Structures are given as structure tokens and as C-alpha cells.
Amino acid sequence: MPSPGGLVSALTSILQNRKGLWIGWPGTTDHEEPPSTYEGIRLKAIAINHEEYEEFYLGFSNATLWPLYHDAIRSPTFHRKWWHTYRDVNMRFAQAIAESVAPGGTVWIHDYQLQLVPQMLRQLRPDVVIGFFCHIPFPPSELFMQLPWRREILTGLLGADLIGFQLHAGASNFSRLARKLTGASGTDSGLNFEGRAIRVGAFPISVDCDQIVKMAADPAIRARAREIREGLGNPEFLMLGVDRLDYTKGIQQRIKAVAEMLADGTLSAERQVMVQVAVPSRESDAHYEQERHELERVISGVNGDYGLVGHPAIHYLHKNLPFDELIALYLAADIMLVTPFRDGMNLVAKEYVMCRSDLTGKLILSEFAGAAAELRGAFMVNPHDLDGIKEAILLAMNAGPKETRDRMARMRRATFRRDVYDWAKGFLVALQQTSRKGEPAASS
Ligand code: GDG
């Protein structure tokens, strides 16, 4: 069952219109026959066995690259065996694509798990147009240089005609590293490598604005939002966090900030309630298991210390909710807390903003989320600064209707400017232009 987020919807409609083929790993190591179509799109499943799941997925993708690309918030682990399996699985993807793509066809490769595929595919099929998009931050040299296979990863990506990142910083980090380590020449937006011109750029992802606005106006979902508030005792302020349970998301930090405010009497469990949804993620990884245990220990401590009978201070849900329910929660929340230590974009922040058509609701946003570049109307925080988070909560609570409206209107304008369909179209148009240009980019 695919996740019902905006990314899947956007890619679904693009693939439907272009009669595309979706190649991917179905997310399980079971031997069950995977479906061959989804909403009229042809699917091609790449099988991954249990050992590859451990070494390619949990290992190299999520215990080496994920922490390294997120400011090394946890120490990245480097294992040669994981690297070999990452290479093997990337080759399997490249071969599957090479067998399926029409002559001169277009291939769009997504994310850090498949960074070697562009170059592998180019060797197998020099006729095809290749785009790559990195959904997570691309780290600066100081961090990336730790990677024992740094040159191979860069060369892998350089197989693409267009390499897209969420922000200019990612594009610039990548281009600089490519020039330093691979012999590529050029600028932050265009490189020459092995006689080919490669475009590098920022393509900030977004959400399906119209769909979210429509859902947020649905009377049944609005009634559910009221019911949620009533169920919580109609608090003065409802604070909400929605994240995959991931150590990069800064969930514990915001809980600690709320706990300190409960301790000093700025908040009380009866009047101000917090709801934290933590969606299960990468559960067989030890780091994630540890994060879950710590988070649950902190939350139960806060409830033990400051909750009252019938009024826990923090309502905690460790589950994947239907998207309707998420929209109802966004509608019910007065303050949305999005405090990652580092995040490529953060779609939750944009989804919240899209739900608030009456211009109520306040967003507290980490300056280290990609979304901070666009959502300038948020109450910005440094997620490492507990006092700063507390101050931002207080500022948000005390902001009057005019300030709240102005901030929300500004954030909605910024989000409406480019939805997820514009993002996908923008990338694909740039990809076609890049591949047609042919001549090498200007070198510096
Ligand atoms: C990666 C990058 C980048 C969450 N809980 C539920 C649920 N969700 C949906 C949200 C949102 C999506 O999951 C989460 O997206 P984020 O962007 O917040 O975070 P990551 O999962 O880390 O995504 C990130 C993104 O890729 C896209 O490029 O922004 O930086 O890390 O759409 O709505 N959906 C449902 N139930 C839930 O309980 N149905």
C-alpha cells in the first residue's frame, strides 16, 4: 500500500500522463508476488533479500548515508560489506532500468539509496536521458569527506544529465565536491565531466496544495477536528507535532521545552495540551529503537510529573494515521511544532500551512529545515537551543490575531507559488532542456 502523501500523488499523475513505468523496491523482503499495476501505472518490483535489507537498506542507506547527510547527528557507521551490497543493489536497479526504458527514453531516479545508478545506467544505456533528485540534504565537504567511498558516490551521481537538490546549498555542496574530487569543471549550476554537460540545481519540493485545501474544507474533516479538540477538553492551546519517529526530527527537544514550561508554570496540562504523532519508521534499526525508547521514557516522565487525571500533558500516538485524520489534527492545532535538527524540506510544515485557510494557526519551524527558506512567516527556532524553543512557544501563544494572520498569509502565498506538480514539471522540463543542449557547460 503506497503512502498517501503528495509526492506519491504527483508522481502518480505524471506517470499516468506519460505512460511511465515505476521501478522500485516494494518495501518488504517477503516472497509474495508484488502487484504489477497501481492506478493504471505499470510497476516493476526489484527484489531485495533479507541480507540486502540489512546491508543495503538499514546499513549503508540508513546507518551510513542518512546520519552523514544529516549533520552527523548520530555517528555514521562505515562498513565495507555494506558498501559492496549497496553497489550490488544499485547495479540491480540500473540493469532493470536498462532493460525497460525505450530508446532515448527519460529516467528519473530518486534519492540517496540509489546514488550510483545514474553512472551505472549511463554505461549500460548511453542513449537515455537521466535525472536524479536528492530528497535529503547534501552535506558540506567537512562531513562528506569522511565517506571512504566519496569519489564513487560523486561519480555515480555525475552519470545524470540533471542533478536536483532541495536547496541551493545542497547543489553548491555537491558541485564543489565534484570539482574537488572527480576532475569535473564548471560552476555550482553546471559541470563538465567526461565530455558531458551536467546541470545541477535547486528544486524545492512541495505538497498537493489544492488537494489539501479541499480536504481542509470538507465538513466531515472539520467536524472531526472539533471532536478532537472536545476530546482533549477544549484546551486554550493545542500544540501538535507530526513526524516519522526519527532522531533527525528533534522530537525530544520540543518535548523537553514543553516539559520545562510545565515545570515553571508557563503551561498547565489542563489549559495547554500537546499531541505528538510519531509514525513508526525503520524499526529494525538499533538507533531508531533506542530513539523510540528514549522518547517514550521522556513523555511518560512528563505525564507522570505534570499530567492530571483525565489530562495528560502530552498525548502520544505511535502509529500511521489515515491522511484524513492528519488533516483533522492540522485543523485542530493552534501551534504546530516542526523542530528537526536537519531536514531536506519537511512537508508536514507545508501541509499545516495549507490547512489554515482562515489564516489562524502558528508554525514554529526549525531554521535547519529546507522549508525555512520559503516559510519566512514561521516562528523560527534553532532546535539545539531549548530556551529559544521555549521563547518561540511563548511568542506564538501571545501573537495577536493580526500578526498571526499576516504570518500565515505570507506562508500560504509562498507555498501556493509552487505545488508538488509544479515541482515535478519544473524538474522534468529542466531535464529535457539539459539533455538537448549537448554542448559542455561553461567552465570556471
Ligand atoms: C523526506 C525528507 C523531504 C506523516 N505521518 C503520517 C503521514 N505522514 C506524511 C506527511 C508528509 C510525509 O509523511 C513526511 O514528509 P516529511 O517531508 O515531513 O519527512 P520525511 O519522511 O523525512 O521525507 C524530507 C521529503 O522526503 C520529501 O522530499 O521533505 O526532508 O527527509 O507528507 O503527511 N501520512 C499519513 N499518516 C501519518 O501518520 N497518511
Side-chain angles (χ1 to χ4, degrees), residues 227-248:
E227 191 180 275
I228 290 172
R229 288 190 70 94
E230 274 160 31
L232 294 168
N234 279 322
E236 238 168 64
F237 274 103
L238 172 51
M239 294 180 277
L240 175 67
V242 173
D243 313 77
R244 266 188 316 97
L245 205 169
D246 194 299
Y247 54 79
T248 60

Side-chain angles (χ1 to χ4, degrees), residues 298-360:
V298 171
I299 291 175
S300 75
V302 174
N303 282 335
D305 287 341
Y306 309 110
L308 303 164
V309 175
H311 293 284
I314 297 171
H315 294 250
Y316 167 70
L317 300 174
H318 179 249
K319 58 179 70 166
N320 202 333
L321 300 173
F323 199 54
D324 287 15
E325 182 72 359
L326 212 55
I327 300 289
L329 279 166
Y330 291 145
L331 279 170
D334 303 296
I335 299 181
M336 183 82 212
L337 287 145
V338 179
T339 57
F341 294 119
R342 181 64 67 189
D343 216 331
M345 177 54 62
N346 197 290
L347 297 179
V348 165
K350 291 189 172 182
E351 288 166 1
Y352 178 69
V353 165
M354 274 301 105
C355 284
R356 314 301 302 205
S357 38
D358 60 0
L359 307 184
T360 60

